[in-house]
Amino acid sequence: MQRRGHRREDSLQTSARKFDPARAHLLDSPERERTLPAATLVAWLELSGSETVLDYGAGTGRFTLEVAGKLPNGRVIAIDESPEMMKLLQARTAGQRNVETIPTADNEVPLPDESVDRILAVNLLHEVRGESALAEMRRLLAERGLLIVVDWDRDRPSDSGPPTAHRYSAAEARQELTFAGFDAELLSTTLPHHFALRAHR
């Protein structure tokens, strides 16, 4: 049995990895768009225009809106576990006919199995280390679906972003996806601080 003190320590370690909503303005800064351009990431989703796309950990909705603009006959479902980020997300996407926002907790997304064609997870993997997020993504992704994971690369130091100890290397991230049942490959990118992985079930 895990002792109460250990559970509290695990909870504190998890909280330390999570993004601080007080820094949400940084997600929409010109510098962030320069180093992590939304159009580049969305292009990796290979959209035809009618897909259902899940933005997992959507934050302020910068990528959500970029995806929505590529889906004249599809929709984006944007989720986040932070109540503060969800308020920002809902305000930013209000009036978008093809965007649905859903608050979540404990990586439990209230959607049926195999109900999404694409999943985009940006700067999320390091926050959900040891959690069930990847298993939930695999449950939600359709058989011929596509998952794009982009995160801070431990081997590409930067002044911004999470502490180095919280980051994955690209190889470690690919291994995590493999363990979760995905067939993952590393994408060749010019992103200065991030790796990108494309994965299928």
Side-chain angles (χ1 to χ4, degrees):
M1 178 181 295
Q2 189 179 37
R3 291 185 299 177
R4 183 176 300 173
H6 287 174
R7 289 198 298 269
R8 183 173 184 275
E9 182 180 342
D10 290 344
S11 177
L12 290 173
Q13 290 174 349
T14 298
S15 297
R17 292 196 301 269
K18 301 296 184 179
F19 183 78
D20 181 0
R23 303 172 65 238
H25 63 283
L26 297 176
L27 302 181
D28 298 324
S29 68
E31 174 64 13
R32 184 60 60 90
E33 173 62 21
R34 183 186 69 80
T35 60
L36 203 58
T40 297
L41 274 61
V42 171
W44 290 332
L45 291 171
E46 302 175 3
L47 299 172
S48 67
S50 60
E51 292 86 355
T52 295
V53 179
L54 178 63
D55 189 353
Y56 203 115
T60 61
R62 181 163 74 92
F63 299 106
T64 301
L65 291 177
E66 185 75 21
V67 173
K70 304 294 184 183
L71 295 174
N73 300 306
R75 65 173 179 149
V76 190
I77 302 170
I79 66 171
D80 206 284
E81 68 175 5
S82 164
E84 296 88 351
M85 298 304 289
M86 181 54 61
K87 288 179 182 178
L88 294 173
L89 177 62
Q90 290 172 335
R92 188 169 190 176
T93 60
Q96 293 287 322
R97 63 167 184 81
N98 60 346
V99 175
E100 179 182 0
T101 58
I102 302 177
T104 59
D106 300 321
N107 292 297
E108 295 180 357
V109 183
L111 293 172
D113 294 356
E114 301 185 17
S115 57
V116 301
D117 305 299
R118 304 285 190 273
I119 299 176
L120 180 63
V122 181
N123 292 341
L124 177 80
L125 191 63
H126 73 275
E127 293 193 4
V128 297
R129 186 188 293 266
E131 299 180 17
S132 59
L134 290 176
E136 183 70 341
M137 291 181 200
R138 192 175 189 282
R139 180 187 73 80
L140 294 166
L141 191 63
E143 184 176 354
R144 298 181 182 276
L146 176 65
L147 165 65
I148 298 294
V149 173
V150 181
D151 213 326
W152 299 91
D153 193 336
R154 193 175 65 223
D155 296 330
R156 303 184 193 185
S158 62
D159 294 330
S160 58
T164 302
H166 292 176
R167 305 184 187 194
Y168 284 93
S169 69
E172 289 171 339
R174 183 182 181 187
Q175 188 175 51
E176 284 281 282
L177 267 65
T178 300
F179 286 160
F182 289 101
D183 181 9
E185 62 176 324
L186 185 65
L187 293 174
S188 177
T189 82
T190 58
L191 302 178
H193 309 308
H194 294 73
F195 59 77
L197 292 163
R198 176 169 54 206
H200 304 267
R201 287 179 49 193

